[in-house]
Amino acid sequence: MTEPSYLTTTRASYDAVAAHYGAQYERELARRPLDRAMLAAFAELAGPGPVADVGCGPGHVTAHLRASGVEAFGVDLSPGMVARARELHPGLRFEEGGMTALGHADGSLTGVLAWYSLFHLPPEEVPTALAEFHRVLAPGGHLLLAFQLRDDHVDLDRWFDQEITLRFHRLVPDEVEELLRGAGFSPLARMTREPVEGEKPPRAYLLARK
């Protein structure tokens, strides 16, 4: 079966920038105390794990969760990103996979994190991803979403001096909360913050429980 074009272009684009991306973002959490606060709450609620960091990129957030005592592992569509994550964080678990079809059993995880990854999906695919997150979570499991806040999209054709094809779909928290409820989640908390250090749109974080 031919995969959707957005998957092909997203995978190829992140493969192209994997080495540069890892170097750029590896230490970003050290400069973002509000982001760390949301991750700390998520880690405490999700418990010891296992927890999937879906769209893990070079693995810096996976490693942060592991340092917090959570049995976290990373999942990414891009083989290049998975290879980079394994290089930067030897001993941690990283695997290839897409968020609309995770290779994990029903109810097998205590937490799912989608940290700036959900917005690569076309809007019509977001409910499918949320349903998949719900499927793999155990009853009472927790989900944390992070995304750029607005109701538009942005296209990139060059990043880190590499030719790419990427579309970022910015999201509206009220709309995402409605989709979460439709997927069987109970929203628990929401945080928004203004952009910092070269970021452009504001950021939003939604925490929910199955």
Side-chain angles (χ1 to χ4, degrees):
M1 180 181 296
T2 302
E3 71 176 7
S5 61
Y6 78 88
L7 289 178
T8 304
T9 56
T10 300
R11 180 187 297 109
S13 296
Y14 276 103
D15 281 348
V17 303
H20 306 285
Y21 188 101
Q24 176 76 19
Y25 293 104
E26 181 65 18
R27 294 176 179 82
E28 69 169 352
L29 286 175
R31 303 185 300 272
R32 289 165 171 72
L34 295 177
D35 293 22
R36 296 198 309 272
M38 288 301 295
L39 288 168
F42 170 70
E44 182 174 344
L45 290 168
V51 169
D53 177 9
V54 181
C56 66
H60 58 297
V61 181
T62 312
H64 181 83
L65 290 174
R66 286 295 293 265
S68 301
V70 176
E71 184 193 334
F73 64 95
V75 182
D76 203 277
L77 181 68
S78 160
M81 281 293 186
V82 170
R84 183 62 171 153
R86 290 170 177 166
E87 178 185 351
L88 291 170
H89 307 286
L92 300 190
R93 174 184 163 196
F94 297 99
E95 60 190 48
E96 293 178 34
M99 66 181 68
T100 59
L102 296 169
H104 300 278
D106 295 0
S108 59
L109 306 179
T110 66
V112 171
L113 173 68
W115 193 257
Y116 298 107
S117 54
L118 191 69
F119 62 5
H120 286 305
L121 294 178
E124 65 272 15
E125 289 296 320
V126 172
T128 302
L130 296 181
E132 183 69 350
F133 297 161
H134 190 274
R135 180 188 70 79
V136 298
L137 279 171
H142 288 80
L143 170 67
L144 177 60
L145 307 175
F147 50 89
Q148 295 179 356
L149 190 162
R150 277 183 188 164
D151 60 354
D152 59 2
H153 67 263
V154 61
D155 293 314
L156 288 183
D157 58 14
R158 198 162 191 85
W159 200 14
F160 296 111
D161 204 30
Q162 303 293 317
E163 292 185 3
I164 61 166
T165 303
L166 272 182
R167 172 166 288 188
F168 298 87
H169 297 271
R170 293 160 176 167
L171 301 168
V172 177
D174 285 345
E175 295 176 0
V176 178
E177 277 201 13
E178 184 176 349
L179 293 175
L180 283 168
R181 295 182 192 279
F185 287 99
S186 298
L188 296 178
R190 177 200 295 193
M191 181 183 78
T192 60
R193 67 164 175 80
E194 293 304 306
V196 296
E197 297 182 34
E199 297 174 344
K200 292 185 179 179
R203 267 46 180 170
Y205 307 82
L206 290 177
L207 180 65
R209 180 176 59 231
K210 176 176 176 177

